[in-house]
Amino acid sequence: MLWTDSITRGVSDVLSKDSTSYKMYVEHMDTKNYFSPEYLELLKEQYRFKYSDVAFDAVIVSDDNAVNFAVNNRSLFNNAPIVFCGVNDLDFHNTHDMSNMTGVLEFTDIRLTIEAALRLQPDLKRMYVVVDDTTTGMISRKLIQDILPDYRGRLDFAWIDKMSMAEVKKTISNLAKGSAVLLASFNRDGLGNWYTYTESITQLRSVTSVPIYGMWDFYLGRGIVGGMITSGYRHGVMAAEIALDIMNGMKPSDIEVVTQDSNQYMFDYNELESFDINPRLIPKNSVVINKPINLYERYRSQILIAALLVLTMILFIFKLLASNRAKRLVENELEEMNKYQESLIEQRTEELVQRSRELEMANHELKKVDNLKTAVVNTVSHDLRTPLTSVLGFCKIIERDFIKYFVPLCSEYADLGERSERIRKNLGIIESEGERLTRLINDFLDLSKIDAGEIAWNDVSIDTNELFVQALPILEGYFTGTAVKFHMEVDDNLPGVVADPDRLLQVLNNLVGNAAKFTFHGSVNLRVTTTEGGWLKATVSDTGMGIPKEELANIFDKFYQVTQSTINTNIARGSGMGLAISKRIVEHYGGMISAESEHEYGSSFTFTIPTTAK
């Protein structure tokens, strides 16, 4: 949203200019779109997962929903000091526990905006207020209702609310002369459809027959005439300055909540002109955007330089008028100067044309390289798989015939018996390595297709209990001939999911296969249940060698492998693509995957995906 973006920009600008280096985390709660208790619980679970180990120096929150969430869940951020801004509830600091908290209230001066409208439109008799039922909208409605008695007999008010966008547009398109629109807040219409600030003002301005006034900078320049404007960037700057004071040792309780009006009259010249409003009527010291600049203001420095040059040339000419020879010298000099300027312009133009050609050629070459890469991937993968299939097939035939026809003959001779056993082992190695190379090629193809958006997702409704029953024999196969025990525990009556069953099995195979590869004693466990929010949750835990803490952040990256020195060198190292593929599959279905591990004590991989349960 433009409002929160401008606040974030203000915070970032202040912190970047400070002499101390800060690490800033930014989380968008998106409560304009989602504000159910279940969604807030998901946010708490996500923030707890991401920030339980982060020691925050301060937490800056913008808008009413965010500050209420932070106050009710201080432990999520290790009880760090809270600095709020953009809060419309002007009585917030009097109704809440302000211990370890301070901030900036969003003083929206609706009265001065209305007064500006009356000043710019002397014939204004009726103000139509567009407002929604969001948290910000309800607060704005109350502020307007509080000042309505002051305009009795001066100005009538009509509410445009609880309507669809189409109904709102139809209403404001037929307003009579002497009317205006006050855009308080319109992010959600009566049908529950959501609109960004830009979308709402753009649609309303496209049909209105009267001026629109507003109080926020994200509407200015996009369709409102103007008003007493509140700036999100200014709120971000003030909040960041308070946070710096706290991080430099001040207590939040010693910093007063900012309640004074920090707004400014701002207007859009294009809108004033569109509705034939005299710009001279705007209040003094107002900021006017899109105001046309006259030639002198635009080229002031060039005009002054040119005037100075002209004056110098006149004085010079008068001095040379006494001599015809001197006059001819001046004329020749001017002619040479013109020629030089023309040649310089031609030279610069040619350089620009040449540079443009070079850029165009470079772009063409980049496209060729990209196309070549795709072709190489497809061709090499196909060309590798075809001979590999032949090699594996003939290897199996050779092994079968060798065992059937030659091994019995060799058993009578000790030396030949040893050689035959060595040949059988070598054939086994060829077969094993060939199959490993085939899996590596398949993984590489899957990863390339997912990144290119070309993979086929054969999504169907899946009975998850049946899926895991079918997967059990496959997963148990990883532990044949080993001392490691495999256990699978699946809750009854799991909710169904809509997904590609082969892709979900691919995720399970990758996770259980990795656990089997790096576990030499103990057990590997698969636990399948549901989260509090009703998502499907699967956890693969093992008692294996674990992953160093510093490696965990990178294990889902493409081609990443745990450092050689930290693992058993006798283990066949993988391609580094299995976990990357698993992450992309899970995220394709809107889920999340994570890992926890303690080096030499085991690892735990968990993925969750949404279900079809209501």
Side-chain angles (χ1 to χ4, degrees), residues 238-304:
M238 290 190 290
E241 290 172 346
I242 292 174
L244 285 178
D245 289 339
I246 292 174
M247 289 187 282
N248 288 329
M250 290 186 68
K251 296 181 179 179
S253 57
D254 294 335
I255 303 175
E256 292 187 6
V257 174
V258 179
T259 59
Q260 74 271 19
D261 179 9
S262 59
N263 304 331
Q264 187 175 17
Y265 273 124
M266 300 181 72
F267 298 93
D268 186 342
Y269 187 89
N270 290 339
E271 294 299 314
L272 293 172
E273 188 176 57
S274 177
F275 292 103
D276 198 23
I277 297 174
N278 188 352
R280 295 181 181 179
L281 296 177
I282 65 175
K284 292 183 179 180
N285 301 320
S286 298
V287 174
V288 180
I289 67 170
N290 295 325
K291 183 179 181 180
I293 303 174
N294 60 44
L295 289 177
Y296 177 74
E297 291 177 340
R298 176 175 296 179
Y299 303 108
R300 180 178 178 180
S301 59
Q302 292 91 331
I303 291 175
L304 291 176

Side-chain angles (χ1 to χ4, degrees), residues 214-226:
M215 288 76 72
W216 286 280
D217 59 353
F218 45 73
Y219 288 140
L220 191 67
R222 292 174 172 83
I224 67 169
V225 172

Side-chain angles (χ1 to χ4, degrees), residues 490-507:
V490 181
D491 285 359
D492 294 333
N493 300 320
L494 290 173
V497 298
V498 175
D500 186 334
D502 291 335
R503 296 302 170 190
L504 292 186
L505 288 175
Q506 186 175 4
V507 175

Side-chain angles (χ1 to χ4, degrees), residues 36 66 81 102 117 127 136 208 252 268 349 363 384 399 401 436 448 520:
S36 65
T102 187
M127 179 71 76
T136 301
T208 183
D268 186 342
T349 302
N363 184 50
L384 282 176
E399 183 180 20
D401 291 346
R436 188 169 74 88
S448 298
F520 311 107

Side-chain angles (χ1 to χ4, degrees), residues 521-572:
H521 57 80
S523 63
V524 174
N525 301 288
L526 171 59
R527 176 78 172 94
V528 186
T529 181
T530 55
T531 66
E532 293 181 3
W535 287 26
L536 182 69
K537 177 181 179 181
T539 301
V540 177
S541 56
D542 61 59
T543 58
M545 59 201 320
I547 303 169
K549 186 175 181 180
E550 63 272 13
E551 304 266 3
L552 275 176
N554 304 315
I555 59 174
F556 292 104
D557 294 345
K558 289 191 295 186
F559 310 116
Y560 186 84
Q561 297 175 322
V562 177
T563 305
Q564 181 74 35
S565 62
T566 63
I567 64 173
N568 190 327
T569 55
N570 293 325
I571 301 175

